[in-house]
Structures are given as C-alpha cells and as structure tokens.
C-alpha cells in the first residue's frame, strides 16, 4: 500500500509572483490483517511496490454563478472527470468550473520502486505569475487555487491529490509608481540613489507597509438638508488585513441633532455591465452584491465627540479589479437624526423627550483594503497545509 502525502513548506498562503514549494512523500506501508486484508495475508509476500508515475501542477478554477453572470460557451461551468482506465491527467480533471490558469505539469517520479516500510521525498517548486487574480469566494464569481498531484500505481487508475492554498495579490490594488514612492522613503544624502525602472516593486510587503503606515487625516463634513450632522475624521484611507479602522466623530459644531449612528465595513462585488445577468420584465441588470462584515453602533445623543473602531477580518479578500469582477470596499454609515433640534445645553438633569420625529441618513465612504503578511494570515485561518492519499 502506497501512501502519498504533500506538505506546503511555506504555508497555505502566498503572494502572486512568489515561489510555491511542496514536499511530496511517497511511503510504502506494510499491510496487516487488521487493516482490512484477508486473515491469511502474508506481510512479507511482496517486498516492494511500484508507482508508475506522479506529476504536479498548479491550477486556478473559476466558478461562475449563472444567475448573476452571463455564461457563454467559453466560460461555462463544466464537470470533467477521469475515466476508470484513464492513464493521462488533464488540468480540468475532476473540476467543476473553468480552469483559467494551469502551470506546465512537472514529472516528480517515474517507475518508483518502494521497498516495504520505506519512504522517499521529492520537492516540487513553481513560480506563480504576478498577473493572477486572488483567491475569492464571491456570490457571482469564485477563484480557487490548488496544487494538483496526479498519481498512478502500476495496474491501477489515476488518482488525484489536491492541496488547496490561498493566493493574495498586491499588483491589482492600484499601487503607486516608483516616482510616487520615492517621496515616502527618507533619502540618505551620503548614498547614491537608484532609479526604479520597473513600476512593480521588488518587495510588496515593504510597499504596502509604507502605504498603510502613512497618516494623512481627512475630515469629512457630513450634512443633510437641514445642516451639518457631524465632522468625521479618518487618519488614512488604506488598511491592511487584520488592521483596525479608527476614526473620530465631532458633533460639537453640528446644528442637526444626531440620536445614534452605525458604521459597517462592506465589500462590493461589481460585475461589468456587459457580463451581468439581466433580470425582471424590463431586462434590468442585477444589482451589485454587497456583503457586510464588522459593525460599530452607538447612541450619541448629547455627545460632543466620540470614536469608531472597526477590525478588518483576516479571511476577507483585499481590493482587486479584473476583467470578470471587481471587489471594492466601503464604510457604510447610517445616521438617525431628529427632525427638530433637541434643546440640549449640557445640563446634568436634562430629560430626553418621550417621543420625537426622526429621519435616517445613509452615506458611503470608499476605502482600500491591502493584503498583509502571508504568515500572519496562515496562522490565523489555516490549521494545516497537508494532504494525503492512499493508492
């Protein structure tokens, strides 16, 4: 009995453009009668086992929801499976959806003879292109990545070993060019400055660290038809996964009484108009898909100042934009205000009215979510990066 196990050395999360490394172990396990073999099975009957071949490749599968996205022949979902007597392996074998990317298969072993109670390790390495879309589990489109290992024992059909992993992209986040970045880094007058020729930075983590560490407070004056509701101050507009979105709200100079407010972190899945599914009798396009995550809610009647804090989850997908779908992020505010100003002057014995007329104001503020360190995401989301199959 041959057991094949795969272990992602760098963990289950990678950046586009990184090199993925996987250690594949082939083991010949000695079978016993207690492992489902006949009682008259002799363990020493066969001193070695033969693995015909094993190959590995990385694939990206795109799954489309036909109720929200137009499905044409070139991107239609498929369910391709291997036949029982198949001796070849296709990148789309066993996949539901379209394989939009696959690396060239690499042969790991051929005619591998394994004695009893022995094992052999092989290393698979592949550099991922920087133009790939990120892993994304949307309601309209899904992108999923896996390392697919095809195996065939002599005289047996082909089997698959799938090792899923998550891919994050920083090239699709709208990063500035090198000229913009030179103004951030403190220059040393005693060193010769080198001009950056490639607009893509060599170290994406350093780039995103610089972008998300810059604090340039922005103040937004939120008003309605009756006047100013609040002054909102955010320290920056770009945040990394796992970071907190912190801001302050100032009601001291407002002439509209705000009773309560709430703010939610929302993702907006946008499909190009020409690829949306039309719905309704008037052939209207399906609405943009909005998903809410963390939320902050507070009663602020009588407050002069307060603050908000929203964590960015580690499991979400950062901002990106491709030909099929774009993922945007925003802060969704809801302000409940009084129709007539409340007579509040800061007295400690002030009593609120038993009833009041209110109205709700909705406001959206776009932000950008950047990736973070793959090791940080790996420890928080995934418990293992291993997979095993028995031939």
């Amino acid at each position: 009995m041959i057991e094949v196990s795969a272990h992602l050395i760098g963990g289950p999360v990678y950046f586009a453009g990184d090199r993925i490394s996987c250690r594949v172990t082939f083991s010949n396990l000695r079978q016993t009668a207690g492992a489902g073999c006949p009682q008259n099975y002799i363990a020493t009957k066969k001193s070695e086992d033969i693995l015909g071949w094993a190959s590995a490749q990385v694939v990206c599968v795109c799954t489309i929801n036909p109720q929200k996205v137009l499905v044409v022949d070139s991107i239609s979902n498929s369910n391709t499976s291997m036949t029982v007597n198949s001796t070849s392996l296709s990148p789309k074998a066993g996949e539901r959806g379209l394989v939009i990317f696959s690396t060239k298969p690499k042969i790991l072993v051929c005619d591998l003879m394994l004695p009893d109670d022995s094992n052999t390790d092989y290393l698979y390495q592949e550099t991922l292109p920087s133009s790939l879309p990120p892993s994304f589990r949307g309601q309209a489109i899904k992108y999923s990545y896996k390392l697919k290992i095809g195996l065939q024992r002599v005289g047996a059909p082909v089997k698959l070993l799938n090792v899923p992993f998550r891919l994050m992209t920083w090239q699709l986040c709208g990063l500035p060019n090198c000229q913009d970045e030179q103004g951030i880094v403190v220059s040393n007058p005693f060193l010769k400055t080198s001009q950056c020729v490639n607009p893509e930075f060599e170290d994406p983590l350093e780039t995103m660290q610089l972008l998300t560490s810059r604090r340039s407070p922005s103040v937004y004056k939120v008003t309605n038809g009756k006047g100013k509701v609040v002054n909102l101050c955010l320290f920056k507009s770009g945040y990394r996964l796992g970071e907190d979105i912190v801001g302050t709200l100032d009601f001291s100079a407002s002439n509209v009484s705000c009773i309560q407010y709430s703010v939610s972190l929302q993702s907006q899945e946008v499909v190009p108009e020409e690829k949306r599914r039309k719905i309704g009798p008037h052939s209207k396009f399906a609405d943009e898909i909005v998903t809410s995550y963390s939320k902050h809610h507070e009663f602020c009647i009588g407050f002069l100042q307060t603050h908000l804090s929203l964590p960015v989850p580690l499991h979400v997908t950062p901002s990106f934009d491709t030909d099929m779908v774009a993922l945007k992020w925003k802060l969704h505010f809801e302000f409940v205000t009084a129709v007539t100003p409340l007579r509040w002057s800061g007295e400690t014995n002030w009593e609120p009215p038993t009833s009041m007329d209110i109205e709700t104001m909705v406001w959206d503020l776009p932000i950008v979510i950047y990736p973070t360190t793959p090791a940080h995401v790996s420890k928080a989301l995934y418990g293992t990066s291993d997979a095993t199959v028995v031939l």
Side-chain angles (χ1 to χ4, degrees), residues 137-209:
R137 298 185 60 86
Q139 299 184 32
I141 295 177
K142 297 180 181 179
Y143 294 113
S144 59
Y145 289 87
K146 62 183 66 176
L147 171 61
K148 180 176 293 188
I149 303 176
L151 311 155
Q152 187 178 28
R153 187 179 179 182
V154 174
V158 176
K159 285 192 176 182
L160 288 178
L161 177 61
N162 294 322
V163 186
F165 63 92
R166 179 179 176 182
L167 186 70
M168 298 188 300
T169 59
W170 56 274
Q171 293 86 353
L172 304 179
C173 292
L175 298 180
N177 55 26
C178 292
Q179 287 75 13
D180 296 336
E181 193 67 19
Q182 287 177 356
I184 304 174
V185 182
V186 179
S187 59
N188 190 334
F190 300 100
L191 296 178
K192 186 181 298 184
T193 58
S194 59
Q195 298 294 330
C196 182
V197 179
N198 192 345
E200 294 183 353
F201 302 108
E202 296 181 358
D203 190 352
L205 290 178
E206 181 180 355
T207 302
M208 286 178 289
Q209 177 68 27

Side-chain angles (χ1 to χ4, degrees), residues 184 208-216 236 238 240 243:
I184 304 174
M208 286 178 289
Q209 177 68 27
L210 291 171
L211 289 173
T212 56
S213 63
R214 286 187 299 175
R215 291 201 172 189
S216 55
K236 52 185 180 179
R240 290 191 295 173
E243 194 175 3

Side-chain angles (χ1 to χ4, degrees), residues 53-126:
W53 57 268
S55 66
Q57 62 184 142
V58 175
V59 299
C60 175
V61 181
C62 177
T63 307
I64 297 174
N65 185 352
Q67 297 181 354
K68 298 183 181 296
V69 181
L70 290 175
V71 180
V72 296
D73 294 338
S74 60
I75 59 174
S76 60
N77 291 348
S78 62
N79 185 8
T80 306
S81 59
M82 295 176 295
T83 60
V84 176
N85 298 323
S86 175
T87 58
S88 61
L89 178 63
S90 171
K92 60 183 180 180
E95 300 295 343
R96 295 186 61 89
L98 176 69
V99 177
I100 61 174
F101 168 78
S102 62
T103 60
K104 292 183 179 180
K106 292 183 178 181
I107 301 297
L108 299 179
V109 296
C110 186
D111 293 334
L112 176 65
M113 292 185 294
L114 291 170
D116 286 339
D117 299 328
S118 66
N119 60 77
T120 304
D121 292 340
Y122 289 87
L123 181 64
Y124 170 79
Q125 290 184 328
E126 185 67 59

